[in-house]
Amino acid sequence: MYCVREITEDLYWVGGNDRRLALFENVHPIQRGVSYNSYLLLDEKTVLFDTVDWSICRQFLENIKGVLGDKTLDYMVINHMEPDHAACIEEIVIRYPEVQIICTEKASLFMRQFGFDIDGKITEVKEGDTMSFGKHNVVFVAAPMVHWPEAMVTFDTTNGVLFSADAFGSFGALDGKLFNDEVNFDRDWIDDARRYYTNIVGKYGPHVQALLKKAGTIDIKIICPLHGPVWRNDFGYLLDKYDKWSSYEPEEKGVLIVYGSMYGNTEAAANDLATRLVKKGMTNVNMYDVSKTHVSYLISDSFKYSHIVLASVTYNLNIYPPIHDYILDMKALNLQKRTFALIENGSWAPQSGKLMRELIEQMKDMTILDCDMSINSSMKESDEDSIDSIVDSILESMK
Ligand code: FEO
């Protein structure tokens, strides 16, 4: 049974949802599942925009058949070649052997790398090329590194629909609700949208900025991403989030506290710090135990908040391993423009503070407050001045 939604005249969502997958890219937990969006245009020519992950291929093929009816498929535009969207290209070619694939030169190279038999089926396009499918005219816009080098987006100049590939996507399956105005995005979706963007595309902020500049020059009416809700209003909200994330500007003045604690003593110091911050009026504080929080959530909040406090026990004369991994992940994703405060703990040779400082200093535009705190085994009354100094430094730096 096919299950589709009409986006606008002639255009249908023919994607599907996967709520079984535990880890997106086999890395990131997706408790709310994920949608793989694909779109089918019925013009004088019929055009499919991207395919879906292999896991939902059967539903996808039923959807296409349901919308096409007796028509054949003339074109398949491939904006992005990552297999969560490209897995079913060959399946489409087998079922619709007349189909022509429209993609960038690099995308066709990737198709061959993945072993697809697409000889004689490719029409290569590049930045600014246009094509008419009847009533609908489209322009192809290069979007390298959003999120792979071959990526492009396609803009339908007839109805203002932007097929935005991974840009403006989100983790989360669609519960029948396809459009942004059918959900409470700021309540139910923003955390997954941020976690998706920051972990998947976060490293490529300058490329996203370049795409946002191009998007600012066209009259967009609908944004059709490859994951998550389709946007048909409130673009300012979404573009503002993307502008902040891709320029590494914090969304909020607030404090993210991430602690690594073996027996609860470093955790106690982190709790004490959070309490003192709140007592002095800074209530926008969020705290995580690094050992039981997947790093994708930490990365997401690191992009959200202006200040990050790292509290790490010393472990094998090094940083506590999960804190170490988290810092390396921030570095790998190119996070910038944050203010850090550091707390170390150790029973005989505390040095995680010095080592964390060295790593953070290798990152771009990071500020480390000059109030490092060193605890010997457990926090005591004699440490109160140090922790007050962290609180005061954080609040002062927020002015
Ligand atoms: Fe959703 Fe980069 O693929």
Side-chain angles (χ1 to χ4, degrees):
M1 177 65 194
Y2 71 98
C3 178
V4 303
R5 289 282 309 265
E6 186 176 0
I7 304 272
T8 185
E9 193 184 350
D10 307 329
L11 183 66
Y12 296 83
W13 175 86
V14 291
N17 298 288
D18 186 350
R19 294 179 182 79
R20 292 188 174 196
L21 185 69
L23 298 174
F24 186 78
E25 293 184 344
N26 220 2
V27 178
H28 310 290
I30 43 169
Q31 295 203 326
R32 294 175 58 241
V34 66
S35 77
Y36 303 108
N37 299 338
S38 170
Y39 305 93
L40 184 53
L41 177 71
L42 301 184
D43 201 346
E44 285 169 29
K45 300 292 183 186
T46 56
V47 189
L48 183 68
F49 293 89
D50 293 290
T51 75
V52 297
D53 188 76
W54 189 250
S55 60
I56 60 158
C57 190
R58 183 176 162 189
Q59 179 70 59
F60 174 58
L61 294 170
E62 285 183 22
N63 290 349
I64 292 171
K65 202 170 163 192
V67 174
L68 278 180
D70 294 335
K71 297 185 182 70
T72 187
L73 183 64
D74 298 306
Y75 291 107
M76 174 162 51
V77 174
I78 297 299
N79 288 303
H80 183 25
M81 259 307 292
E82 191 165 9
D84 56 330
H85 312 292
C88 301
I89 289 175
E90 269 195 316
E91 228 14 75
I92 294 294
V93 170
I94 289 167
R95 283 154 201 263
Y96 302 96
E98 305 303 317
V99 73
Q100 271 292 307
I101 302 171
I102 301 167
C103 64
T104 61
E105 181 185 8
K106 198 157 254 160
S108 74
L109 172 75
F110 286 179
M111 284 176 212
R112 292 186 172 88
Q113 279 182 198
F114 279 107
F116 295 172
D117 181 8
I118 39 115
D119 282 351
K121 301 220 157 287
I122 298 286
T123 302
E124 284 181 5
V125 291
K126 57 184 186 319
E127 167 82 12
D129 284 356
T130 58
M131 197 170 275
S132 176
F133 300 121
K135 268 194 319 192
H136 292 264
N137 304 312
V138 300
V139 57
F140 304 103
V141 179
M145 303 320 297
V146 188
H147 121 249
W148 278 13
E150 88 300 352
M152 67 174 186
V153 300
T154 303
F155 183 58
D156 185 330
T157 51
T158 306
N159 60 7
V161 172
L162 176 68
F163 299 95
S164 65
D166 270 347
F168 309 118
S170 177
F171 293 142
L174 301 162
D175 302 329
K177 294 165 281 190
L178 178 63
F179 297 100
N180 69 297
D181 53 32
E182 295 173 333
V183 302
N184 187 333
F185 197 88
D186 200 52
R187 185 191 67 195
D188 300 332
W189 282 83
I190 187 62
D191 288 340
D192 263 334
R194 184 189 304 103
R195 195 161 62 87
Y196 166 81
Y197 171 84
T198 56
N199 286 278
I200 306 295
V201 195
K203 179 181 173 69
Y204 307 113
H207 296 86
V208 176
Q209 281 283 311
L211 182 61
L212 289 177
K213 280 206 179 70
K214 290 182 190 176
T217 65
I218 54 179
D219 186 16
I220 300 170
K221 299 280 196 299
I222 298 176
I223 298 175
C224 291
L226 289 176
H227 303 284
V230 168
W231 287 76
R232 60 183 176 187
N233 58 26
D234 211 7
F235 299 135
Y237 170 88
L238 183 64
L239 292 170
D240 176 62
K241 295 290 183 195
Y242 260 70
D243 188 37
K244 287 202 171 80
W245 297 337
S246 58
S247 59
Y248 304 100
E249 294 292 342
E251 276 174 76
E252 294 179 10
K253 236 180 228 186
V255 185
L256 167 67
I257 302 173
V258 181
Y259 65 87
S261 184
M262 293 163 68
Y263 300 108
N265 292 300
T266 309
E267 179 180 10
N271 271 318
D272 188 85
L273 173 69
T275 305
R276 285 170 197 260
L277 279 165
V278 171
K279 277 158 77 175
K280 286 207 168 175
M282 172 35 68
T283 54
N284 195 16
V285 175
N286 211 356
M287 195 159 121
Y288 293 99
D289 182 337
V290 74
S291 300
K292 55 177 288 190
T293 310
H294 190 274
V295 71
S296 64
Y297 292 89
L298 303 178
I299 289 297
S300 182
D301 268 11
S302 305
F303 273 69
K304 179 177 177 183
Y305 292 108
S306 58
H307 287 62
I308 301 171
V309 178
L310 300 177
S312 175
V313 67
T314 302
Y315 192 89
N316 280 336
L317 299 179
N318 213 318
I319 304 167
Y320 193 49
I323 291 273
H324 190 237
D325 290 348
Y326 163 47
I327 297 173
L328 291 184
D329 222 11
M330 279 191 270
K331 189 161 178 263
L333 290 168
N334 211 13
L335 183 66
Q336 305 163 24
K337 305 178 186 174
R338 293 300 181 274
T339 301
F340 283 84
L342 304 175
I343 300 174
E344 69 175 3
N345 190 1
S347 292
W348 68 92
Q351 55 183 317
S352 52
K354 175 176 80 82
L355 297 170
M356 289 191 289
R357 178 175 279 273
E358 284 171 8
L359 277 182
I360 294 162
E361 281 173 349
Q362 294 168 22
M363 296 159 72
K364 205 171 163 190
D365 280 346
M366 297 300 200
T367 303
I368 307 176
L369 297 174
D370 194 18
C371 53
D372 294 4
M373 179 179 178
S374 187
I375 302 167
N376 289 121
S377 300
S378 68
M379 195 182 146
K380 301 164 192 72
E381 283 180 10
S382 57
D383 293 313
E384 282 189 292
D385 285 350
S386 297
I387 209 149
D388 277 336
S389 165
I390 292 181
V391 171
D392 291 342
S393 296
I394 288 174
L395 296 179
E396 182 62 30
S397 68
M398 283 181 171
K399 286 178 182 165

